[in-house]
Amino acid sequence: MVKGQRRRHQLERYRERRDFSRSTEPTGDIGGTSGNPVFVIQKHDASNLHYDLRLAVDGVLKSWAVPKGPSTDPREKRLAIATEDHPLDYADFEGVIPEGEYGAGTVLIWDRGTYENITETENGPRSMSEALAKGHALVRLCGEKIHGGYALQRIDDDADQWLLIKIDDEAADARRNPVSTEPKSVVSGCNLDEIAAREGE
Ligand code: MN
């Protein structure tokens, strides 16, 4: 039994007892309901406001800080700075990182869902870990705000700097600007101030 299967099996009783359409408790479904891996985009009000894009790959969340957040316009290239891998359950984190701690500030789950690796080579599909090692990955995101294909392209000469670019598909829409029009958490429905106030209680 592979690791993911074992975890799903272990969580059967936990799940049977809960209605996740009514409770906000974690489903433990880190692999996603469709079997696809999770992605999350966390809005992070640190010293500089940014959006952390995280994709579950081989048991960790591969992470990029995207200062302007994702665009739905294929003509917009968004800088994405690779940051350290995070644990899978970080995808559930929303709250306040205390002052003096690394990344101090409020974190809001801006979007979340599953993704599909659609990276291809001439010889067929390429694994996510290989695609990221090569500096070019194509993913199809299935979130609540963000949908469809995105390219992650490493910029030459700097291993940490990537571009996040919307693929020109049916989900591309230059008129949408979800970063500004849909600021709230997809989990709590709160904005950054409300999350900060909630923690201060
Ligand atoms: Mn961050």
Side-chain angles (χ1 to χ4, degrees):
M1 209 186 270
V2 299
K3 215 168 154 196
Q5 282 173 332
R6 191 180 306 127
R7 185 181 50 234
R8 278 192 281 275
H9 182 70
Q10 286 170 334
L11 291 174
E12 257 167 43
R13 286 190 66 194
Y14 172 87
R15 287 195 173 136
E16 278 168 7
R17 295 174 172 179
R18 289 167 174 81
D19 180 357
F20 295 109
S21 66
R22 299 181 61 83
S23 169
T24 57
E25 291 169 294
T27 60
D29 194 12
I30 220 71
T33 45
S34 63
N36 284 332
V38 296
F39 87 92
V40 65
I41 300 172
Q42 283 156 319
K43 186 176 182 179
H44 186 185
D45 191 14
S47 44
N48 292 300
L49 180 79
H50 60 273
Y51 293 77
D52 289 299
L53 167 67
R54 309 188 198 278
L55 304 171
V57 179
D58 299 340
V60 296
L61 293 175
K62 302 306 275 186
S63 300
W64 293 262
V66 185
K68 290 185 174 176
S71 176
T72 54
D73 181 350
R75 292 167 304 181
E76 287 267 340
K77 295 179 170 69
R78 294 285 159 93
L79 180 66
I81 300 142
T83 55
E84 76 276 21
D85 295 348
H86 277 53
L88 289 178
D89 51 9
Y90 204 87
D92 295 323
F93 179 69
E94 179 167 277
V96 177
I97 302 170
E99 210 144 320
E101 297 299 314
Y102 180 74
T106 307
V107 176
L108 172 158
I109 300 175
W110 186 78
D111 200 11
R112 196 167 65 172
T114 60
Y115 80 94
E116 223 181 310
N117 170 25
I118 54 170
T119 317
E120 294 271 346
T121 68
E122 296 126 52
N123 306 317
R126 171 171 273 166
S127 73
M128 257 325 262
S129 52
E130 200 186 341
L132 293 176
K134 298 260 184 202
H136 178 76
L138 298 179
V139 291
R140 190 181 293 126
L141 302 178
C142 183
E144 293 183 35
K145 298 171 184 171
I146 294 297
H147 318 278
Y150 278 82
L152 270 164
Q153 179 68 54
R154 191 160 54 207
I155 299 169
D156 286 351
D157 307 320
D158 190 331
D160 292 336
Q161 297 206 7
W162 296 62
L163 293 173
L164 176 67
I165 309 161
K166 180 79 195 80
I167 294 172
D168 198 357
D169 58 16
E170 65 289 342
D173 187 346
R175 293 162 306 178
R176 271 188 82 206
N177 185 6
V179 161
S180 67
T181 62
E182 300 171 57
K184 292 184 175 179
S185 166
V186 294
V187 172
S188 62
C190 293
N191 62 31
L192 284 169
D193 288 345
E194 289 163 342
I195 291 166
R198 193 174 70 188
E199 295 267 320
E201 277 163 15

PDB file of all heavy atoms in Angstrom, residues 1 53 56 64 71 73 93 103 140 153 163 168 174 178-179:
ATOM      1  N   MET A   1       0.850  -1.194   0.000  1.00  0.00           N
ATOM      2  CA  MET A   1       0.000   0.000   0.000  1.00  0.00           C
ATOM      3  C   MET A   1       0.882   1.239   0.000  1.00  0.00           C
ATOM      4  O   MET A   1       1.778   1.363   0.838  1.00  0.00           O
ATOM      5  CB  MET A   1      -0.878  -0.022   1.254  1.00  0.00           C
ATOM      6  CG  MET A   1      -2.210   0.685   1.066  1.00  0.00           C
ATOM      7  SD  MET A   1      -3.134   0.795   2.612  1.00  0.00           S
ATOM      8  CE  MET A   1      -4.071  -0.714   2.559  1.00  0.00           C
ATOM      9  N   LEU A  53       1.804  30.775  -3.572  1.00  0.00           N
ATOM     10  CA  LEU A  53       1.267  29.652  -4.353  1.00  0.00           C
ATOM     11  C   LEU A  53       1.967  28.390  -3.886  1.00  0.00           C
ATOM     12  O   LEU A  53       3.202  28.347  -3.840  1.00  0.00           O
ATOM     13  CB  LEU A  53       1.532  29.879  -5.846  1.00  0.00           C
ATOM     14  CG  LEU A  53       1.323  28.663  -6.768  1.00  0.00           C
ATOM     15  CD1 LEU A  53      -0.157  28.260  -6.821  1.00  0.00           C
ATOM     16  CD2 LEU A  53       1.844  28.962  -8.168  1.00  0.00           C
ATOM     17  N   ALA A  56       1.114  20.677  -3.961  1.00  0.00           N
ATOM     18  CA  ALA A  56       1.566  19.438  -3.327  1.00  0.00           C
ATOM     19  C   ALA A  56       2.312  18.604  -4.358  1.00  0.00           C
ATOM     20  O   ALA A  56       1.774  18.252  -5.409  1.00  0.00           O
ATOM     21  CB  ALA A  56       0.377  18.659  -2.778  1.00  0.00           C
ATOM     22  N   TRP A  64       5.935  29.208  -3.921  1.00  0.00           N
ATOM     23  CA  TRP A  64       6.411  30.429  -4.580  1.00  0.00           C
ATOM     24  C   TRP A  64       5.689  31.623  -3.970  1.00  0.00           C
ATOM     25  O   TRP A  64       4.465  31.566  -3.773  1.00  0.00           O
ATOM     26  CB  TRP A  64       6.086  30.412  -6.083  1.00  0.00           C
ATOM     27  CG  TRP A  64       6.794  29.388  -6.886  1.00  0.00           C
ATOM     28  CD1 TRP A  64       7.921  29.564  -7.646  1.00  0.00           C
ATOM     29  CD2 TRP A  64       6.426  28.004  -7.061  1.00  0.00           C
ATOM     30  NE1 TRP A  64       8.276  28.386  -8.259  1.00  0.00           N
ATOM     31  CE2 TRP A  64       7.376  27.408  -7.912  1.00  0.00           C
ATOM     32  CE3 TRP A  64       5.381  27.212  -6.562  1.00  0.00           C
ATOM     33  CZ2 TRP A  64       7.314  26.072  -8.288  1.00  0.00           C
ATOM     34  CZ3 TRP A  64       5.318  25.872  -6.920  1.00  0.00           C
ATOM     35  CH2 TRP A  64       6.277  25.318  -7.777  1.00  0.00           C
ATOM     36  N   SER A  71      -2.665  36.132 -12.269  1.00  0.00           N
ATOM     37  CA  SER A  71      -3.512  36.861 -13.213  1.00  0.00           C
ATOM     38  C   SER A  71      -4.325  35.852 -14.012  1.00  0.00           C
ATOM     39  O   SER A  71      -3.914  34.708 -14.176  1.00  0.00           O
ATOM     40  CB  SER A  71      -2.637  37.685 -14.163  1.00  0.00           C
ATOM     41  OG  SER A  71      -3.452  38.328 -15.130  1.00  0.00           O
ATOM     42  N   ASP A  73      -5.153  36.799 -17.048  1.00  0.00           N
ATOM     43  CA  ASP A  73      -4.863  37.336 -18.388  1.00  0.00           C
ATOM     44  C   ASP A  73      -3.560  36.725 -18.908  1.00  0.00           C
ATOM     45  O   ASP A  73      -2.502  36.929 -18.308  1.00  0.00           O
ATOM     46  CB  ASP A  73      -4.723  38.859 -18.275  1.00  0.00           C
ATOM     47  CG  ASP A  73      -4.455  39.530 -19.619  1.00  0.00           C
ATOM     48  OD1 ASP A  73      -4.195  38.818 -20.616  1.00  0.00           O
ATOM     49  OD2 ASP A  73      -4.499  40.771 -19.647  1.00  0.00           O
ATOM     50  N   PHE A  93      -3.725  26.278   6.764  1.00  0.00           N
ATOM     51  CA  PHE A  93      -3.421  27.346   7.719  1.00  0.00           C
ATOM     52  C   PHE A  93      -3.981  28.700   7.301  1.00  0.00           C
ATOM     53  O   PHE A  93      -3.716  29.206   6.217  1.00  0.00           O
ATOM     54  CB  PHE A  93      -1.912  27.480   7.951  1.00  0.00           C
ATOM     55  CG  PHE A  93      -1.590  28.591   8.917  1.00  0.00           C
ATOM     56  CD1 PHE A  93      -1.924  28.468  10.256  1.00  0.00           C
ATOM     57  CD2 PHE A  93      -1.013  29.768   8.478  1.00  0.00           C
ATOM     58  CE1 PHE A  93      -1.675  29.511  11.144  1.00  0.00           C
ATOM     59  CE2 PHE A  93      -0.763  30.813   9.361  1.00  0.00           C
ATOM     60  CZ  PHE A  93      -1.091  30.683  10.700  1.00  0.00           C
ATOM     61  N   GLY A 103       8.014  35.429   8.793  1.00  0.00           N
ATOM     62  CA  GLY A 103       6.797  35.643   8.011  1.00  0.00           C
ATOM     63  C   GLY A 103       5.662  36.278   8.804  1.00  0.00           C
ATOM     64  O   GLY A 103       4.491  36.139   8.442  1.00  0.00           O
ATOM     65  N   ARG A 140      -2.918  22.427 -14.455  1.00  0.00           N
ATOM     66  CA  ARG A 140      -4.303  22.869 -14.596  1.00  0.00           C
ATOM     67  C   ARG A 140      -4.872  22.987 -13.190  1.00  0.00           C
ATOM     68  O   ARG A 140      -4.980  21.992 -12.476  1.00  0.00           O
ATOM     69  CB  ARG A 140      -5.109  21.887 -15.447  1.00  0.00           C
ATOM     70  CG  ARG A 140      -6.494  22.433 -15.809  1.00  0.00           C
ATOM     71  CD  ARG A 140      -7.305  21.445 -16.630  1.00  0.00           C
ATOM     72  NE  ARG A 140      -6.739  21.229 -17.953  1.00  0.00           N
ATOM     73  CZ  ARG A 140      -6.424  20.040 -18.465  1.00  0.00           C
ATOM     74  NH1 ARG A 140      -6.606  18.938 -17.762  1.00  0.00           N
ATOM     75  NH2 ARG A 140      -5.941  19.942 -19.675  1.00  0.00           N
ATOM     76  N   GLN A 153       7.468  29.038 -15.182  1.00  0.00           N
ATOM     77  CA  GLN A 153       8.673  29.058 -16.010  1.00  0.00           C
ATOM     78  C   GLN A 153       9.803  29.712 -15.236  1.00  0.00           C
ATOM     79  O   GLN A 153       9.685  30.874 -14.840  1.00  0.00           O
ATOM     80  CB  GLN A 153       8.368  29.864 -17.291  1.00  0.00           C
ATOM     81  CG  GLN A 153       9.533  30.001 -18.249  1.00  0.00           C
ATOM     82  CD  GLN A 153       9.901  28.675 -18.892  1.00  0.00           C
ATOM     83  OE1 GLN A 153       9.066  28.001 -19.480  1.00  0.00           O
ATOM     84  NE2 GLN A 153      11.169  28.296 -18.767  1.00  0.00           N
ATOM     85  N   LEU A 163       8.336  32.753 -13.493  1.00  0.00           N
ATOM     86  CA  LEU A 163       7.170  33.507 -13.946  1.00  0.00           C
ATOM     87  C   LEU A 163       5.960  32.590 -13.881  1.00  0.00           C
ATOM     88  O   LEU A 163       6.051  31.399 -14.206  1.00  0.00           O
ATOM     89  CB  LEU A 163       7.359  34.002 -15.387  1.00  0.00           C
ATOM     90  CG  LEU A 163       8.440  35.061 -15.587  1.00  0.00           C
ATOM     91  CD1 LEU A 163       8.639  35.327 -17.072  1.00  0.00           C
ATOM     92  CD2 LEU A 163       8.110  36.354 -14.840  1.00  0.00           C
ATOM     93  N   ASP A 168      -3.482  30.396 -22.388  1.00  0.00           N
ATOM     94  CA  ASP A 168      -4.632  30.942 -23.120  1.00  0.00           C
ATOM     95  C   ASP A 168      -5.633  29.823 -23.417  1.00  0.00           C
ATOM     96  O   ASP A 168      -5.644  29.245 -24.498  1.00  0.00           O
ATOM     97  CB  ASP A 168      -4.152  31.619 -24.413  1.00  0.00           C
ATOM     98  CG  ASP A 168      -5.215  32.558 -24.970  1.00  0.00           C
ATOM     99  OD1 ASP A 168      -6.324  32.632 -24.386  1.00  0.00           O
ATOM    100  OD2 ASP A 168      -4.936  33.204 -25.988  1.00  0.00           O
ATOM    101  N   ALA A 174      -9.120  38.250 -19.619  1.00  0.00           N
ATOM    102  CA  ALA A 174      -8.373  39.481 -19.342  1.00  0.00           C
ATOM    103  C   ALA A 174      -9.202  40.488 -18.552  1.00  0.00           C
ATOM    104  O   ALA A 174      -8.659  41.400 -17.948  1.00  0.00           O
ATOM    105  CB  ALA A 174      -7.897  40.100 -20.658  1.00  0.00           C
ATOM    106  N   PRO A 178      -9.371  38.760 -10.142  1.00  0.00           N
ATOM    107  CA  PRO A 178      -9.848  38.218  -8.860  1.00  0.00           C
ATOM    108  C   PRO A 178      -9.035  38.681  -7.659  1.00  0.00           C
ATOM    109  O   PRO A 178      -9.572  38.778  -6.555  1.00  0.00           O
ATOM    110  CB  PRO A 178      -9.765  36.692  -9.049  1.00  0.00           C
ATOM    111  CG  PRO A 178      -8.856  36.489 -10.201  1.00  0.00           C
ATOM    112  CD  PRO A 178      -8.986  37.698 -11.072  1.00  0.00           C
ATOM    113  N   VAL A 179      -7.747  38.991  -7.862  1.00  0.00           N
ATOM    114  CA  VAL A 179      -6.925  39.449  -6.736  1.00  0.00           C
ATOM    115  C   VAL A 179      -7.542  40.702  -6.106  1.00  0.00           C
ATOM    116  O   VAL A 179      -7.559  40.843  -4.887  1.00  0.00           O
ATOM    117  CB  VAL A 179      -5.465  39.697  -7.212  1.00  0.00           C
ATOM    118  CG1 VAL A 179      -4.702  40.576  -6.244  1.00  0.00           C
ATOM    119  CG2 VAL A 179      -4.755  38.364  -7.404  1.00  0.00           C
TER     120      VAL A 179
END
